[in-house]
Coordinates of all heavy atoms in Angstrom, one line a residue:
M838 N 281.8 270.7 61.5 CA 282.9 270.8 60.5 C 282.4 271.9 59.5 O 281.3 271.7 58.9 CB 283.1 269.5 59.9 CG 284.3 269.4 59.0 SD 284.6 267.8 58.1 CE 285.2 266.8 59.4
D839 N 283.2 272.9 59.2 CA 282.8 273.9 58.2 C 283.1 273.4 56.8 O 283.7 272.3 56.6 CB 283.4 275.2 58.5 CG 284.9 275.3 58.3 OD1 285.5 274.4 57.6 OD2 285.6 276.2 58.8
D840 N 282.6 274.1 55.8 CA 282.8 273.7 54.4 C 284.2 273.5 54.0 O 284.5 272.5 53.3 CB 282.1 274.7 53.5 CG 280.6 274.7 53.6 OD1 280.0 273.7 54.1 OD2 280.0 275.6 53.1
D841 N 285.1 274.3 54.5 CA 286.6 274.2 54.1 C 287.1 272.9 54.7 O 287.9 272.2 54.1 CB 287.4 275.4 54.5 CG 287.1 276.6 53.7 OD1 286.5 276.5 52.6 OD2 287.4 277.8 54.1
Q842 N 286.8 272.7 56.0 CA 287.3 271.5 56.6 C 286.7 270.2 56.0 O 287.4 269.2 55.8 CB 286.9 271.5 58.1 CG 287.7 272.5 58.9 CD 287.2 272.6 60.3 OE1 286.0 272.5 60.6 NE2 288.1 272.7 61.3
E843 N 285.4 270.3 55.6 CA 284.8 269.1 55.0 C 285.4 268.9 53.6 O 285.7 267.7 53.3 CB 283.3 269.4 54.8 CG 282.5 268.2 54.4 CD 281.0 268.4 54.4 OE1 280.5 269.1 55.3 OE2 280.4 267.8 53.6
Q844 N 285.7 269.9 52.9 CA 286.3 269.8 51.6 C 287.8 269.2 51.7 O 288.2 268.3 51.0 CB 286.4 271.1 50.8 CG 286.9 270.9 49.4 CD 286.1 270.0 48.5 OE1 284.9 270.2 48.5 NE2 286.7 269.1 47.9
A845 N 288.5 269.7 52.7 CA 289.9 269.2 52.9 C 289.8 267.7 53.3 O 290.7 266.9 52.8 CB 290.5 270.0 54.0
A846 N 288.9 267.3 54.1 CA 288.7 265.9 54.5 C 288.4 265.1 53.3 O 288.9 264.0 53.1 CB 287.7 265.8 55.6
N847 N 287.5 265.6 52.5 CA 287.1 264.8 51.3 C 288.3 264.7 50.3 O 288.5 263.6 49.8 CB 285.9 265.5 50.6 CG 285.4 264.8 49.4 OD1 285.2 263.6 49.4 ND2 285.2 265.5 48.3
D848 N 289.0 265.8 50.2 CA 290.2 265.8 49.3 C 291.2 264.7 49.8 O 291.8 264.0 49.0 CB 290.8 267.1 49.2 CG 290.0 268.1 48.4 OD1 289.0 267.7 47.7 OD2 290.3 269.3 48.5
A849 N 291.5 264.7 51.1 CA 292.4 263.8 51.7 C 292.0 262.3 51.4 O 292.8 261.5 51.1 CB 292.6 264.1 53.2
L850 N 290.7 262.1 51.6 CA 290.1 260.7 51.4 C 290.3 260.3 50.0 O 290.8 259.2 49.7 CB 288.7 260.7 51.8 CG 288.0 259.4 51.5 CD1 288.4 258.3 52.5 CD2 286.5 259.5 51.6
Q851 N 290.0 261.2 49.0 CA 290.1 260.9 47.6 C 291.5 260.6 47.2 O 291.8 259.7 46.4 CB 289.5 262.0 46.8 CG 288.0 262.1 46.9 CD 287.3 260.9 46.3 OE1 287.6 260.4 45.3 NE2 286.3 260.4 47.1
T852 N 292.5 261.4 47.8 CA 293.9 261.2 47.4 C 294.4 259.9 47.9 O 295.0 259.2 47.2 CB 294.7 262.4 48.1 OG1 294.3 263.6 47.5 CG2 296.2 262.2 47.9
T853 N 294.0 259.5 49.2 CA 294.4 258.2 49.7 C 293.8 257.1 48.9 O 294.4 256.1 48.6 CB 294.0 258.1 51.2 OG1 294.6 259.2 51.9 CG2 294.4 256.8 51.8
F854 N 292.5 257.2 48.6 CA 291.8 256.2 47.8 C 292.4 256.0 46.4 O 292.7 254.9 46.0 CB 290.3 256.7 47.6 CG 289.5 255.9 46.7 CD1 289.0 254.7 47.2 CD2 289.2 256.3 45.5 CE1 288.1 253.9 46.4 CE2 288.4 255.6 44.6 CZ 287.8 254.4 45.1
H855 N 292.7 257.1 45.7 CA 293.4 256.9 44.4 C 294.8 256.4 44.5 O 295.2 255.6 43.7 CB 293.3 258.3 43.7 CG 292.0 258.6 43.2 ND1 291.5 258.3 41.9 CD2 291.0 259.3 43.7 CE1 290.3 258.7 41.8 NE2 289.9 259.4 42.8
E856 N 295.5 256.8 45.5 CA 296.9 256.3 45.6 C 296.9 254.8 45.9 O 297.7 254.1 45.4 CB 297.6 257.1 46.8 CG 299.1 256.8 46.9 CD 299.9 257.0 45.7 OE1 299.6 257.9 44.8 OE2 301.0 256.3 45.5
A857 N 296.0 254.4 46.8 CA 295.9 252.9 47.1 C 295.6 252.1 45.8 O 296.3 251.1 45.6 CB 294.9 252.7 48.2
A858 N 294.6 252.6 45.1 CA 294.3 251.8 43.8 C 295.4 251.9 42.8 O 295.7 250.9 42.2 CB 293.0 252.5 43.2
H859 N 296.1 253.0 42.7 CA 297.2 253.2 41.8 C 298.4 252.2 42.2 O 298.9 251.5 41.3 CB 297.7 254.6 41.8 CG 298.9 254.9 41.0 ND1 298.8 255.0 39.6 CD2 300.2 255.1 41.3 CE1 300.0 255.2 39.1 NE2 300.9 255.3 40.1
Q860 N 298.7 252.2 43.5 CA 299.8 251.3 43.9 C 299.4 249.8 43.7 O 300.3 249.0 43.3 CB 300.1 251.6 45.4 CG 300.8 252.9 45.6 CD 302.1 253.0 44.8 OE1 302.9 252.1 44.8 NE2 302.3 254.2 44.2
F861 N 298.2 249.5 44.0 CA 297.7 248.1 43.8 C 297.9 247.7 42.3 O 298.4 246.6 42.0 CB 296.3 248.0 44.2 CG 295.7 246.6 44.1 CD1 296.3 245.5 44.8 CD2 294.6 246.3 43.4 CE1 295.7 244.2 44.7 CE2 294.0 245.1 43.3 CZ 294.6 244.0 44.0
S862 N 297.5 248.6 41.4 CA 297.6 248.3 40.0 C 299.1 248.2 39.5 O 299.4 247.3 38.7 CB 296.9 249.4 39.1 OG 297.6 250.6 39.1
I863 N 300.0 249.0 40.1 CA 301.4 248.9 39.8 C 302.0 247.6 40.2 O 302.7 246.9 39.4 CB 302.2 250.1 40.4 CG1 301.8 251.4 39.7 CG2 303.7 249.8 40.4 CD1 302.4 252.6 40.4
V864 N 301.6 247.1 41.4 CA 302.1 245.8 41.9 C 301.6 244.7 41.0 O 302.4 243.8 40.7 CB 301.7 245.7 43.4 CG1 302.0 244.2 43.9 CG2 302.5 246.7 44.3
L865 N 300.3 244.7 40.7 CA 299.8 243.7 39.9 C 300.4 243.6 38.5 O 300.7 242.6 37.9 CB 298.3 243.8 39.7 CG 297.4 243.5 40.9 CD1 295.9 243.7 40.6 CD2 297.7 242.1 41.4
K866 N 300.7 244.8 37.9 CA 301.3 244.8 36.6 C 302.7 244.3 36.7 O 303.1 243.5 35.8 CB 301.3 246.3 36.0 CG 301.9 246.4 34.6 CD 301.1 245.5 33.6 CE 301.7 245.7 32.3 NZ 300.9 244.9 31.3
E867 N 303.4 244.6 37.7 CA 304.8 244.0 37.9 C 304.8 242.5 38.1 O 305.6 241.8 37.5 CB 305.5 244.7 39.1 CG 306.9 244.3 39.3 CD 307.9 244.6 38.1 OE1 307.5 245.4 37.2 OE2 309.0 244.0 38.0
L868 N 303.8 242.0 38.9 CA 303.6 240.6 39.0 C 303.3 239.9 37.7 O 303.8 238.9 37.4 CB 302.6 240.3 40.1 CG 302.9 240.6 41.5 CD1 301.7 240.5 42.4 CD2 304.0 239.7 42.0
H869 N 302.4 240.6 36.9 CA 302.1 240.1 35.6 C 303.3 240.0 34.7 O 303.5 239.0 34.0 CB 301.0 240.9 35.0 CG 300.7 240.6 33.6 ND1 299.9 239.6 33.2 CD2 301.0 241.2 32.4 CE1 299.8 239.5 31.9 NE2 300.5 240.5 31.4
R870 N 304.1 241.1 34.7 CA 305.3 241.2 33.8 C 306.3 240.2 34.2 O 307.0 239.6 33.3 CB 305.8 242.6 33.9 CG 306.9 242.9 32.9 CD 307.5 244.3 33.2 NE 308.3 244.4 34.4 CZ 309.5 243.8 34.6 NH1 310.1 243.1 33.6 NH2 310.2 244.0 35.7
T871 N 306.5 239.9 35.5 CA 307.6 239.0 35.9 C 307.1 237.5 36.2 O 307.9 236.7 36.7 CB 308.2 239.5 37.2 OG1 307.3 239.6 38.2 CG2 308.9 240.9 36.9
N872 N 305.8 237.2 35.9 CA 305.3 235.9 36.2 C 306.0 234.8 35.4 O 306.0 234.8 34.2 CB 303.8 235.9 35.8 CG 303.1 234.6 36.1 OD1 303.7 233.7 36.7 ND2 301.8 234.6 35.8
P873 N 306.7 233.9 36.1 CA 307.4 232.9 35.3 C 306.5 231.8 34.8 O 306.9 230.9 34.1 CB 308.4 232.3 36.4 CG 307.7 232.6 37.7 CD 306.9 233.9 37.5
W874 N 305.2 231.8 35.2 CA 304.2 230.8 34.7 C 303.1 231.5 34.0 O 302.0 231.7 34.6 CB 303.7 230.0 35.9 CG 304.8 229.4 36.7 CD1 305.6 228.3 36.3 CD2 305.3 229.8 37.9 NE1 306.5 228.0 37.3 CE2 306.4 229.0 38.3 CE3 305.0 230.9 38.8 CZ2 307.1 229.1 39.5 CZ3 305.7 231.0 40.0 CH2 306.7 230.2 40.3
P875 N 303.2 231.9 32.8 CA 302.2 232.6 32.1 C 300.8 231.9 32.0 O 299.8 232.5 31.9 CB 302.7 232.9 30.7 CG 304.0 232.2 30.6 CD 304.4 231.7 31.9
E876 N 300.8 230.6 32.1 CA 299.6 229.9 32.1 C 298.8 230.1 33.4 O 297.6 229.8 33.5 CB 299.8 228.4 31.9 CG 300.6 227.6 33.0 CD 302.1 227.8 33.0 OE1 302.6 228.5 32.1 OE2 302.7 227.1 33.8
N877 N 299.5 230.6 34.4 CA 298.8 230.9 35.7 C 298.7 232.4 35.7 O 299.6 233.1 36.2 CB 299.7 230.4 36.9 CG 299.8 228.9 37.0 OD1 298.9 228.2 36.6 ND2 300.9 228.4 37.4
R878 N 297.6 232.9 35.3 CA 297.3 234.3 35.2 C 297.4 235.0 36.5 O 297.1 234.4 37.5 CB 296.0 234.6 34.5 CG 295.8 233.9 33.2 CD 296.5 234.7 32.1 NE 296.3 234.1 30.8 CZ 296.9 234.5 29.8 NH1 297.8 235.5 29.8 NH2 296.7 233.9 28.6
V879 N 297.7 236.3 36.5 CA 297.8 237.0 37.8 C 296.5 237.8 38.1 O 296.0 237.8 39.2 CB 299.0 238.0 37.7 CG1 299.0 239.0 38.8 CG2 300.3 237.3 37.6
L880 N 295.9 238.4 37.1 CA 294.8 239.3 37.4 C 293.5 238.6 38.0 O 293.0 239.1 39.0 CB 294.4 240.1 36.1 CG 293.4 241.2 36.3 CD1 293.9 242.2 37.3 CD2 293.1 241.9 34.9
G881 N 293.1 237.5 37.4 CA 291.9 236.8 38.0 C 292.1 236.5 39.4 O 291.2 236.8 40.3
P882 N 293.1 235.8 39.8 CA 293.3 235.4 41.2 C 293.5 236.6 42.1 O 293.0 236.6 43.2 CB 294.6 234.6 41.2 CG 294.6 234.0 39.8 CD 294.1 235.0 38.9
A883 N 294.1 237.7 41.6 CA 294.2 238.9 42.4 C 292.9 239.6 42.7 O 292.6 240.0 43.8 CB 295.2 239.9 41.6
I884 N 292.0 239.6 41.7 CA 290.7 240.2 41.9 C 289.9 239.3 42.8 O 289.2 239.8 43.7 CB 290.0 240.4 40.5 CG1 290.7 241.4 39.7 CG2 288.5 240.9 40.8 CD1 291.0 242.8 40.3
N885 N 290.0 238.0 42.6 CA 289.4 237.1 43.6 C 289.8 237.3 45.0 O 289.0 237.3 45.9 CB 289.6 235.6 43.1 CG 288.9 234.6 44.0 OD1 289.4 234.3 45.0 ND2 287.7 234.2 43.5
L886 N 291.1 237.4 45.2 CA 291.7 237.6 46.5 C 291.2 238.9 47.1 O 290.9 239.0 48.3 CB 293.2 237.5 46.4 CG 293.9 237.7 47.8 CD1 293.5 236.6 48.8 CD2 295.4 237.6 47.6
L887 N 291.2 240.0 46.2 CA 290.7 241.3 46.7 C 289.3 241.1 47.2 O 288.9 241.6 48.2 CB 290.8 242.3 45.6 CG 290.2 243.7 45.9 CD1 290.9 244.3 47.1 CD2 290.2 244.5 44.7
A888 N 288.5 240.4 46.4 CA 287.0 240.2 46.8 C 286.9 239.5 48.2 O 286.1 239.9 49.0 CB 286.3 239.5 45.7
T889 N 287.7 238.5 48.4 CA 287.7 237.8 49.6 C 288.2 238.6 50.8 O 287.7 238.6 51.9 CB 288.4 236.4 49.6 OG1 289.8 236.6 49.3 CG2 287.8 235.5 48.5
E890 N 289.2 239.4 50.5 CA 289.7 240.3 51.5 C 288.7 241.4 51.9 O 288.5 241.7 53.1 CB 291.0 241.0 51.0 CG 292.2 240.1 51.0 CD 292.7 239.7 52.4 OE1 292.5 240.5 53.4 OE2 293.2 238.6 52.5
L891 N 288.0 241.9 50.9 CA 286.9 242.8 51.2 C 285.8 242.2 52.0 O 285.3 242.8 53.0 CB 286.3 243.4 49.9 CG 287.3 244.3 49.1 CD1 286.7 244.5 47.7 CD2 287.5 245.6 49.8
W892 N 285.5 240.9 51.7 CA 284.5 240.2 52.5 C 285.0 240.1 53.9 O 284.2 240.3 54.9 CB 284.1 238.9 51.9 CG 283.0 238.2 52.5 CD1 281.7 238.4 52.3 CD2 283.1 237.2 53.5 NE1 280.9 237.6 53.1 CE2 281.8 236.8 53.9 CE3 284.1 236.5 54.1 CZ2 281.5 235.9 54.8 CZ3 283.9 235.6 55.1 CH2 282.5 235.3 55.4
D893 N 286.3 239.7 54.1 CA 286.9 239.6 55.4 C 286.8 240.9 56.2 O 286.9 240.9 57.4 CB 288.3 239.1 55.3 CG 288.4 237.6 54.9 OD1 287.4 236.9 55.0 OD2 289.6 237.2 54.5
R894 N 286.8 242.0 55.5 CA 286.7 243.4 56.1 C 285.3 243.8 56.3 O 285.0 245.0 56.5 CB 287.5 244.4 55.3 CG 289.0 244.1 55.1 CD 289.8 244.0 56.4 NE 291.1 243.4 56.1 CZ 291.4 242.1 56.3 NH1 290.5 241.2 56.7 NH2 292.6 241.6 56.0
C895 N 284.3 242.9 56.2 CA 282.9 243.1 56.4 C 282.2 243.9 55.3 O 281.1 244.5 55.6 CB 282.7 243.7 57.8 SG 283.3 242.6 59.1
F896 N 282.7 243.9 54.1 CA 281.8 244.4 53.0 C 280.9 243.2 52.7 O 281.3 242.1 52.8 CB 282.7 244.8 51.8 CG 283.5 246.1 51.9 CD1 284.7 246.1 52.4 CD2 282.9 247.3 51.6 CE1 285.5 247.2 52.6 CE2 283.6 248.5 51.7 CZ 284.9 248.4 52.2
S897 N 279.7 243.5 52.3 CA 278.7 242.5 52.0 C 279.0 241.8 50.6 O 279.6 242.5 49.8 CB 277.3 243.0 52.1 OG 277.0 243.8 51.0
L898 N 278.5 240.6 50.5 CA 278.6 240.0 49.1 C 277.9 240.9 48.1 O 278.4 241.0 47.0 CB 277.9 238.6 49.2 CG 278.6 237.5 50.0 CD1 277.7 236.3 50.0 CD2 280.0 237.2 49.4
T899 N 276.8 241.5 48.5 CA 276.1 242.3 47.5 C 276.9 243.6 47.2 O 277.0 243.9 46.0 CB 274.7 242.8 48.1 OG1 273.9 241.6 48.4 CG2 273.9 243.7 47.2
E900 N 277.5 244.2 48.1 CA 278.4 245.4 47.9 C 279.5 245.0 47.0 O 279.8 245.7 46.0 CB 278.9 245.9 49.2 CG 277.9 246.6 50.1 CD 278.6 247.0 51.4 OE1 279.1 246.2 52.1 OE2 278.5 248.2 51.7
I901 N 280.2 243.9 47.2 CA 281.4 243.5 46.4 C 280.9 243.1 45.0 O 281.5 243.6 44.0 CB 282.1 242.3 47.1 CG1 282.6 242.7 48.5 CG2 283.2 241.8 46.2 CD1 283.0 241.5 49.4
S902 N 279.9 242.3 44.9 CA 279.4 241.9 43.6 C 279.0 243.1 42.7 O 279.3 243.2 41.6 CB 278.3 240.9 43.7 OG 278.8 239.7 44.3
S903 N 278.3 244.0 43.4 CA 277.8 245.1 42.7 C 278.9 246.0 42.2 O 278.9 246.6 41.1 CB 276.8 245.9 43.6 OG 276.3 247.1 43.0
A904 N 279.9 246.2 43.1 CA 281.0 247.1 42.8 C 281.8 246.5 41.6 O 282.2 247.2 40.7 CB 281.9 247.2 44.0
L905 N 282.0 245.2 41.6 CA 282.7 244.6 40.5 C 282.0 244.6 39.2 O 282.5 244.9 38.1 CB 283.1 243.1 40.8 CG 284.1 242.9 42.0 CD1 284.2 241.5 42.4 CD2 285.5 243.5 41.6
T906 N 280.7 244.4 39.3 CA 279.8 244.4 38.1 C 279.8 245.9 37.5 O 279.9 246.1 36.3 CB 278.4 244.0 38.4 OG1 278.5 242.6 38.9 CG2 277.4 244.1 37.2
D907 N 279.6 246.8 38.4 CA 279.5 248.2 38.0 C 280.9 248.7 37.3 O 280.9 249.4 36.3 CB 279.2 249.2 39.2 CG 277.8 249.0 39.7 OD1 277.0 248.3 39.0 OD2 277.5 249.6 40.8
A908 N 282.0 248.2 37.9 CA 283.3 248.6 37.4 C 283.5 248.0 36.0 O 283.9 248.7 35.1 CB 284.4 248.1 38.3
A909 N 283.1 246.7 35.8 CA 283.2 246.1 34.5 C 282.3 246.8 33.5 O 282.7 247.0 32.3 CB 282.8 244.6 34.6
A910 N 281.1 247.2 33.9 CA 280.2 247.9 33.0 C 280.7 249.3 32.6 O 280.5 249.7 31.4 CB 278.8 248.0 33.6
E911 N 281.4 250.0 33.4 CA 282.0 251.3 33.2 C 283.3 251.3 32.4 O 283.6 252.3 31.7 CB 282.2 252.1 34.5 CG 280.9 252.6 35.1 CD 280.2 253.6 34.3 OE1 280.9 254.5 33.7 OE2 279.0 253.5 34.1
L912 N 284.0 250.2 32.4 CA 285.3 250.2 31.8 C 285.3 250.4 30.3 O 286.2 251.2 29.8 CB 286.0 248.8 32.1 CG 287.5 248.7 31.8 CD1 288.2 249.9 32.4 CD2 288.0 247.4 32.2
P913 N 284.4 249.9 29.5 CA 284.4 250.3 28.0 C 284.3 251.8 27.8 O 284.9 252.3 26.9 CB 283.2 249.5 27.5 CG 283.0 248.4 28.4 CD 283.3 248.9 29.8
R914 N 283.5 252.5 28.6 CA 283.4 253.9 28.4 C 284.7 254.6 28.7 O 285.2 255.4 28.0 CB 282.3 254.5 29.3 CG 282.0 256.0 29.1 CD 281.0 256.5 30.1 NE 281.4 256.3 31.5 CZ 282.2 257.1 32.1 NH1 282.8 258.2 31.5 NH2 282.5 256.9 33.4
Y915 N 285.4 254.2 29.8 CA 286.6 254.7 30.2 C 287.7 254.4 29.1 O 288.5 255.3 28.8 CB 287.1 254.1 31.5 CG 288.4 254.6 32.0 CD1 288.6 255.9 32.6 CD2 289.6 253.8 31.8 CE1 289.8 256.3 33.0 CE2 290.8 254.3 32.2 CZ 291.0 255.5 32.8 OH 292.2 255.9 33.2
A916 N 287.7 253.2 28.6 CA 288.7 252.8 27.6 C 288.4 253.3 26.2 O 289.2 253.1 25.3 CB 288.7 251.3 27.6
A917 N 287.2 253.9 26.0 CA 286.8 254.5 24.7 C 287.0 253.5 23.6 O 287.4 253.8 22.5 CB 287.7 255.8 24.4
G918 N 286.6 252.2 23.9 CA 286.6 251.2 22.8 C 287.9 250.5 22.6 O 288.0 249.6 21.8
D919 N 289.0 251.0 23.2 CA 290.3 250.3 23.1 C 290.4 249.1 24.0 O 290.0 249.1 25.2 CB 291.5 251.3 23.5 CG 291.6 252.4 22.5 OD1 291.3 252.2 21.3 OD2 292.1 253.5 22.9
E920 N 290.9 248.0 23.5 CA 291.1 246.8 24.3 C 292.3 247.0 25.3 O 292.2 246.5 26.4 CB 291.4 245.6 23.4 CG 291.7 244.3 24.1 CD 290.5 243.8 24.9 OE1 289.3 244.2 24.7 OE2 290.7 243.0 25.9
L921 N 293.3 247.6 24.8 CA 294.5 247.9 25.7 C 294.8 249.4 25.6 O 294.5 250.0 24.6 CB 295.8 247.2 25.2 CG 295.8 245.7 25.4 CD1 297.0 245.1 24.6 CD2 295.8 245.3 26.8
R922 N 295.4 249.9 26.6 CA 295.8 251.3 26.6 C 296.8 251.6 25.5 O 297.8 250.9 25.4 CB 296.3 251.7 28.0 CG 296.6 253.2 28.1 CD 297.0 253.6 29.4 NE 296.5 254.6 30.2 CZ 295.5 255.4 30.1 NH1 294.8 255.3 29.0 NH2 295.2 256.4 30.9
P923 N 296.5 252.6 24.6 CA 297.4 252.8 23.5 C 298.8 253.4 24.0 O 298.9 253.8 25.0 CB 296.7 253.8 22.7 CG 295.4 254.1 23.3 CD 295.3 253.4 24.6

């Protein structure tokens, strides 16, 4: 694979990756918005279900735990100190 083909493959992977995460977040927000039982939160069970689905797809416990921990650690920097998106 030459450099252009490799870059095109990388770009396609990144586009698919970002689109999947974006669509997942949109669905979760809509479920949160329309949840008729606010005492039954949506986000926690959704992340738990995602983790179990990842495990079912043969990601290791270490990979899943590490990814969730790393994501939580990076979020304050991304959010620039804001609790909610302004």
